[in-house]
Amino acid sequence: MTNEITISKGELALDLQTAGLEVLDYVPERLIPPVIVMTAGSPYLTTETVGNSYRLGLTLTLVASTATNEEATESLDALIADTVSALGGLGYVILKQVNPSYRLAVNNAEYLSADLNLDLSITL
């Protein structure tokens, strides 16, 4: 039986995929950008109200394709804009912030990336 946390992450991934974004709700063994990788945020789970309503903290790591610095920057900016637009229509998501870009080292390569922090309203 799957729990509500896993189901909520899967639903968010599906909603973003419906918007045309490549999203993984797990850390893959091999990264193939452009891609969004969903991981636990900090804090991961906090109470939203008295009862069984919670906020699930998630980090979306947006990873641009390998390219020249100028092209990678444009690609990452487009990925950020597309992701924020896709989240705008989802009533259960609270966008907290988009952090500055950085170089993500993985699979013996570096990719221009940015982390997007958000909360999901869930009921356990």
Side-chain angles (χ1 to χ4, degrees):
M1 185 165 138
T2 304
N3 63 71
E4 187 61 34
I5 292 172
T6 302
I7 291 169
S8 296
K9 291 175 7 182
E11 287 176 1
L12 175 60
L14 284 175
D15 285 338
L16 293 174
Q17 288 166 354
T18 299
L21 300 166
E22 180 66 31
V23 182
L24 301 173
D25 58 358
Y26 60 92
V27 177
E29 288 77 19
R30 296 208 42 90
L31 195 66
I32 303 171
V35 68
I36 300 170
V37 179
M38 186 184 309
T39 56
S42 178
Y44 189 44
L45 195 65
T46 58
T47 57
E48 188 169 53
T49 61
V50 175
N52 58 354
S53 295
Y54 297 88
R55 286 193 178 185
L56 177 64
L58 296 175
T59 298
L60 302 182
T61 301
L62 286 61
V63 184
S65 296
T66 302
T68 65
N69 288 346
E70 183 178 357
E71 292 169 344
T73 300
E74 174 63 29
S75 175
L76 182 60
D77 286 346
L79 186 55
I80 291 169
D82 292 345
T83 304
V84 170
S85 292
L87 293 171
L90 304 178
Y92 62 95
V93 177
I94 301 165
L95 175 60
K96 293 172 29 180
Q97 65 190 24
V98 178
N99 295 322
S101 62
Y102 62 95
R103 292 275 177 200
L104 176 66
V106 64
N107 300 340
N108 295 319
E110 286 189 349
Y111 304 100
L112 189 62
S113 304
D115 291 336
L116 189 150
N117 298 317
L118 53 89
D119 287 343
L120 303 184
S121 285
I122 66 170
T123 303
L124 297 180

